[in-house]
Amino acid sequence: MTATIINQRSSSETIIRVPQRKIEALVGGVLMNTVGKAAQKHILNKSKLVAKEIYLPTCDYAMYYHEREATNEPNQDAHDQPTIIFFHGLSMRSEELAGFIKSLDIPPHVRILCPEQMGHGRDIDNRLRTDPDNYTMPTHQRMMESTSEFLDVVKCSSNTNAFGISLGGAVCYYIQNHRPDIIQRAILVSPAILCCVDKDLVNGIRDGTSNFCCLKSRQDA
């Protein structure tokens, strides 16, 4: 199906035919960029998550995160503060979990933390795009170290549970094993851990036959 655009400036009334999908993509992209941001802001406000930044001295890194502070309860021990930490997936930002978190109706006395991993979100915005020549993508070890230090710097209590999806599921899995003093229980959704991922997908990414990490068509998704 095609849409017709008439060039009225031409004396011969030239007709230019453009695939309708291209027009829909252009218009839809503008709408999604405008409406999508407004909707995301509305959901974020409803979730009561607040954007924050904290410096990790050992890793020498400023980590961005979202937090919903807990309401104070009488005689609540800070070392036993109920906390849930959410780990986002590949290419996501911490605020993208706001809608999901809002739907869970978590009691107000529970603290909520959503750290934004290195190589994602504002790390890309503020460092990669401004100084690409000196930017290096973080290793998995670097991500684990920064996440572990984040737990200490924000004073995460020993009464903390965690949730992770995709890449966040892998982070959640390894950080629970690394920090059992803080993470008590964890929920993993489609974790990006080799033993949990389809072998054909892993082999395809390794040999370049799968474009999963660099989508070029609908079939790749």
Side-chain angles (χ1 to χ4, degrees), residues 70-83 108-111 157-159:
T71 57
N72 294 326
E73 288 202 336
N75 304 318
Q76 175 65 60
D77 183 359
H79 298 289
D80 194 45
Q81 169 65 57
T83 303
H109 71 279
V110 177
R111 184 187 189 191
S157 80
S158 58
N159 186 16

Side-chain angles (χ1 to χ4, degrees), residues 36-89:
K37 287 182 178 179
Q40 180 65 52
K41 184 176 180 180
H42 175 73
I43 293 172
L44 191 60
N45 290 337
K46 286 287 186 180
S47 71
K48 298 182 179 179
L49 290 168
V50 177
K52 298 183 178 183
E53 177 183 355
I54 197 160
Y55 179 68
L56 311 179
T58 302
C59 290
D60 188 25
Y61 176 73
M63 179 169 272
Y64 301 92
Y65 68 105
H66 278 79
E67 177 180 8
R68 190 195 74 178
E69 296 183 2
T71 57
N72 294 326
E73 288 202 336
N75 304 318
Q76 175 65 60
D77 183 359
H79 298 289
D80 194 45
Q81 169 65 57
T83 303
I84 302 179
I85 185 167
F86 291 84
F87 296 106
H88 62 76

Side-chain angles (χ1 to χ4, degrees), residues 166 169-170 173-174 188 190-197:
S166 186
Y173 173 79
Y174 288 111
L188 314 180
S190 302
I193 304 172
L194 284 179
C195 63
C196 300
V197 179

Side-chain angles (χ1 to χ4, degrees), residues 91-174:
S91 78
M92 291 179 67
R93 293 170 174 263
S94 54
E95 64 263 29
E96 290 180 45
L97 290 167
F100 172 64
I101 291 171
K102 175 66 173 64
S103 71
L104 297 177
D105 196 23
I106 299 171
H109 71 279
V110 177
R111 184 187 189 191
I112 298 174
L113 293 167
C114 302
E116 196 164 83
Q117 293 297 324
M118 287 182 169
H120 293 74
R122 292 157 192 79
D123 189 32
I124 296 290
D125 294 342
N126 297 343
R127 298 206 298 140
L128 173 60
R129 292 177 182 171
T130 56
D131 190 16
D133 294 335
N134 294 313
Y135 183 86
T136 56
M137 290 301 292
T139 62
H140 68 281
Q141 185 64 34
R142 176 84 167 150
M143 292 176 71
M144 291 302 103
E145 290 172 352
S146 61
T147 302
S148 180
E149 186 179 358
F150 170 79
L151 300 179
D152 293 326
V153 176
V154 298
K155 295 180 171 56
C156 228
S157 80
S158 58
N159 186 16
T160 297
N161 296 321
F163 171 95
I165 182 169
S166 186
L167 170 69
V171 173
C172 189
Y173 173 79
Y174 288 111

